[in-house]
Structures are given as structure tokens and as C-alpha cells.
């Protein structure tokens, strides 16, 4: 134990998109931009800013263009701001807003893709191919998301062979990073270790970020297992923003504060200033009107006041 840890990790902060999209309250564009700038000030180097989806489908993300343009006009030192793009229309809007990096998504489960995006896995790749073509013409960086890697709300266990096939196909698109999502938060350390060891025989582990949910309290155990097994990139959301659409009232994304605290305790650099991060989370949690799901953050903010 602790013999194979990295010196540093890289965090993709997903609070402003994955987090806020799963909160009931629809915030103002100004507050969302302020939140992103606070996260950036805390030292985060990649912040998923928004999703270019239809306003009537996801009202929380309905201001994607205004938000991105506003952010670009205010940011002093631009970092990475990947934006989710579901289709060509979304990509065209993203390009018009000045987006430089996009994220595409699919899943390892046919049923999940059918329900989530009304497409089979093959159809999702046909759609993405068109998006990738235009994105490459515009020199955009592309990130890939794979859902249901550790389990599916409709199919239960999902196949690692399918995962490897989906990773290969995304890699063929030239994605620089693939985020492996524990969509319903059912992953356990043993499973994490097994999946990583199979990935390792097929790909460089540097290709992957782990996207854990703390729905059943296993996120930190899964992160520690991932670190020990050669993974050094993680997705997380400030304050644990966002719920779990597949388990009412349950927790979703692991909190960025939890990862930072764990890494600090192990001597692993994160580049994040905890106090500034906690203030950013406090700011946004007040706006959405709820407490943090992170035990660490609750204790930390309590100790500051
Ligand atoms: Mg998530």
C-alpha cells in the first residue's frame, strides 16, 4: 500500500456543468461565471464550463453561449474550459462562442444510450463522427466521456470488453483524454482494480480520467485504488455539486475538496488552494440553496467560521 503513488494529479473540475446541470435551481449567468473564476483562482487548470444543449431540454445550461462569451471577456489567464457538445448544432453554437475544447459522450450500455440520447452505441459513434470532423477542421481539442463503466441503471453489470471497444473507437477520433464514469455510483475498489488492469494491457493509462460518484460512499476508496494502480487524472465537482438522477436524493459527483484532502494527506500535489476552493463551493452552494455532501468540506468550513 502507498508504494505506487504519483507525485501529482490532474483534476478536471466538473461542478459548473455536471454539477449545476443536476441541481434543481437555475442560476444566473453572472453567478455561474463568478463561480468558474473562483475555481480558477483556487488553482484548477481544467474547468468544464457548460453544455451546448437545447434550453428547453436542460434549462440549467440554457445560457451556454452567453456564459462562455462572458467568461472569455472576464478571464485574465485562460485555462482549459471543455464544454459538452451533444450534436452538430451544439458544436456550431460552441464554435461561434469561441470554445476551444469540447467533450463528447457515449456509454458501454446499449440501454443507457437508448434512454439517455436515443441512440445505440453504434449510432452514437455515427453522430460523434460528424461532430469530430467539424471540431478537427476548427482545431478543437476533444475529450471523451464514457458512462456506465462500472454499472448501468438498466442493465446492471456492464462488460469490460465493450469498454475496451468503446475506448478504441474514441481513441480513433483523436481524443486526448477519456473520462470513465461511474454513472450510478456502484463501483468498488476491487472492480476498479480489475478494470484498470484490463485497460492497462490495451492502452496507456495516461489516456484516462476517473469520474467517480459518491452515491454509496465508495468514491474515495475507488480514487485511492486508482492512484495505487497508475491513474493520475480525476473528475470531481466543487462541494460535491450535483445529484444522482438514478437514485432520488442521493449524492452524485465526488467533491473536489475530498480528492484534494486525500491527496494532501498522501503528499500528492494537486495545485489547488483548499481555502479558495472551499470559498468557491460555499458561494455556489448558497446560491443553489443546499448543504455540501462532502463531510470534509462541512468540517473545514465549520473550522473557518
Ligand atoms: Mg458526474
Amino acid at each position: 500500500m502507498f508504494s505506487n503513488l504519483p507525485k501529482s494529479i490532474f483534476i478536471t473540475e466538473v461542478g459548473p456543468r455536471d454539477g449545476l446541470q443536476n441541481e434543481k435551481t437555475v442560476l444566473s449567468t453572472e453567478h455561474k461565471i463568478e463561480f468558474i473564476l473562483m475555481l480558477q483562482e483556487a488553482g484548477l487548470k481544467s474547468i468544464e464550463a457548460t453544455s451546448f444543449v437545447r434550453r428547453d431540454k436542460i434549462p440549467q445550461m440554457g445560457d451556454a453561449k452567453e456564459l462562455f462569451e462572458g467568461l472569455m471577456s472576464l478571464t485574465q489567464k485562460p485555462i482549459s474550459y471543455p464544454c459538452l457538445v451533444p450534436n452538430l448544432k451544439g458544436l456550431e453554437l460552441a464554435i461561434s462562442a469561441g470554445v476551444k475544447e469540447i467533450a463528447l459522450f457515449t456509454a458501454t450500455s446499449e440501454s443507457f444510450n437508448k434512454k439517455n440520447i436515443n441512440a445505440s452505441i453504434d449510432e452514437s459513434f455515427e453522430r460523434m463522427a460528424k461532430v469530430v470532423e467539424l471540431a478537427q477542421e476548427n482545431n478543437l481539442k476533444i475529450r471523451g466521456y464514457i458512462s456506465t463503466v462500472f454499472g448501468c441503471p438498466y442493465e446492471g453489470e456492464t462488460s469490460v470488453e465493450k469498454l475496451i471497444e468503446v475506448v478504441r473507437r474514441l481513441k480513433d477520433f483523436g481524443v486526448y483524454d477519456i473520462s470513465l464514469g461511474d454513472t450510478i455510483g456502484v463501483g468498488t475498489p476491487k472492480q476498479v482494480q480489475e478494470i484498470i488492469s484490463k485497460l492497462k494491457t490495451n492502452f496507456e493509462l495516461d489516456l484516462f480520467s476517473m469520474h467517480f460518484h459518491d452515491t454509496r460512499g465508495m468514491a474515495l476508496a475507488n480514487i485511492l485504488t486508482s492512484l495505487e494502480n497508475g491513474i493520475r487524472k480525476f473528475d470531481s465537482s466543487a462541494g460535491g455539486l450535483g445529484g444522482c438522477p438514478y437514485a432520488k436524493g442521493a449524492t452524485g459527483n465526488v467533491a473536489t475538496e475530498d480528492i484534494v484532502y486525500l491527496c494532501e494527506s498522501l503528499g500528492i500535489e494537486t495545485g489547488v488552494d483548499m481555502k479558495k476552493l472551499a470559498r468557491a463551493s460555499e458561494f455556489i452552494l448558497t446560491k443553489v440553496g443546499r448543504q455540501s455532501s462532502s463531510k470534509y468540506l462541512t468540517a473545514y468550513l465549520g473550522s473557518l467560521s
Side-chain angles (χ1 to χ4, degrees):
M1 200 76 174
F2 311 136
S3 57
N4 193 34
L5 297 173
K7 283 202 170 61
S8 64
I9 60 155
F10 188 84
I11 295 174
T12 298
E13 166 61 49
V14 300
R17 199 287 303 172
D18 188 1
L20 289 182
Q21 178 174 330
N22 291 300
E23 295 287 346
K24 275 199 194 84
T25 317
V26 178
L27 300 182
S28 71
T29 309
E30 291 68 32
H31 286 150
K32 287 190 263 187
I33 292 175
E34 196 174 341
F35 177 44
I36 294 171
L37 292 173
M38 288 174 91
L39 292 168
Q40 187 170 332
E41 184 57 32
L44 289 150
K45 294 282 183 286
S46 179
I47 303 175
E48 192 178 59
T50 185
S51 177
F52 285 81
V53 283
R54 274 170 42 187
R55 197 185 294 258
D56 57 326
K57 278 203 166 170
I58 305 178
Q60 294 94 326
M61 299 286 115
D63 59 350
K65 189 169 190 291
E66 297 88 317
L67 179 142
F68 201 85
E69 288 171 345
L71 176 63
M72 286 305 103
S73 73
L74 289 172
T75 185
Q76 303 291 327
K77 285 186 205 145
I79 51 162
S80 243
Y81 309 102
C83 293
L84 215 65
V85 164
N87 50 35
L88 261 186
K89 221 171 168 193
L91 177 60
E92 283 161 3
L93 196 62
I95 291 170
S96 77
V99 167
K100 301 272 184 286
E101 188 173 330
I102 58 165
L104 305 176
F105 50 94
T106 186
T108 57
S109 150
E110 293 287 357
S111 320
F112 183 85
N113 256 4
K114 273 273 178 221
K115 296 229 181 192
N116 194 36
I117 56 174
N118 195 26
S120 66
I121 294 174
D122 278 346
E123 284 163 352
S124 78
F125 273 92
E126 284 164 27
R127 275 186 207 171
M128 284 191 286
K130 292 181 192 146
V131 174
V132 167
E133 201 183 330
L134 181 60
Q136 284 171 341
E137 278 171 27
N138 287 274
N139 294 318
L140 303 190
K141 283 177 80 180
I142 307 171
R143 182 166 201 251
Y145 268 112
I146 306 178
S147 293
T148 64
V149 170
F150 300 87
C152 167
Y154 313 110
E155 293 181 9
E157 231 175 89
T158 49
S159 131
V160 183
E161 285 64 42
K162 196 70 184 171
L163 170 64
I164 287 167
E165 181 201 319
V166 171
V167 168
R168 274 219 176 91
R169 293 175 79 177
L170 275 178
K171 216 176 152 234
D172 287 343
F173 283 155
V175 300
Y176 75 91
D177 180 67
I178 297 176
S179 170
L180 303 178
D182 184 8
T183 312
I184 50 172
V186 290
T188 57
K190 190 161 178 278
Q191 186 190 15
V192 169
Q193 185 180 41
E194 282 164 7
I195 288 179
I196 295 173
S197 82
K198 288 200 179 141
L199 288 171
K200 210 188 320 200
T201 60
N202 290 275
F203 311 101
E204 295 284 333
L205 285 184
D206 240 14
L207 181 62
F208 303 105
S209 292
M210 289 296 183
H211 183 117
F212 288 119
H213 286 181
D214 203 30
T215 319
R216 290 168 181 78
M218 284 292 112
L220 282 178
N222 290 336
I223 288 166
L224 185 54
T225 306
S226 302
L227 286 167
E228 273 282 332
N229 285 276
I231 297 284
R232 56 169 299 272
K233 295 189 289 183
F234 298 90
D235 294 358
S236 59
S237 85
L241 218 54
C244 176
Y246 306 97
K248 225 177 166 197
T251 309
N253 297 303
V254 64
T256 308
E257 287 85 356
D258 286 344
I259 297 195
V260 171
Y261 180 63
L262 173 69
C263 285
E264 280 177 355
S265 78
L266 294 164
I268 300 170
E269 278 172 40
T270 65
V272 176
D273 180 315
M274 183 67 89
K275 197 166 185 178
K276 289 180 178 172
L277 171 63
R279 290 301 188 202
S281 297
E282 190 180 36
F283 166 79
I284 206 71
L285 287 162
T286 307
K287 300 292 177 224
V288 297
R290 75 162 174 93
Q291 303 275 310
S292 174
S293 54
S294 163
K295 286 182 183 166
Y296 175 77
L297 179 61
T298 304
Y300 182 77
L301 287 174
S303 75
L304 289 183
S305 60

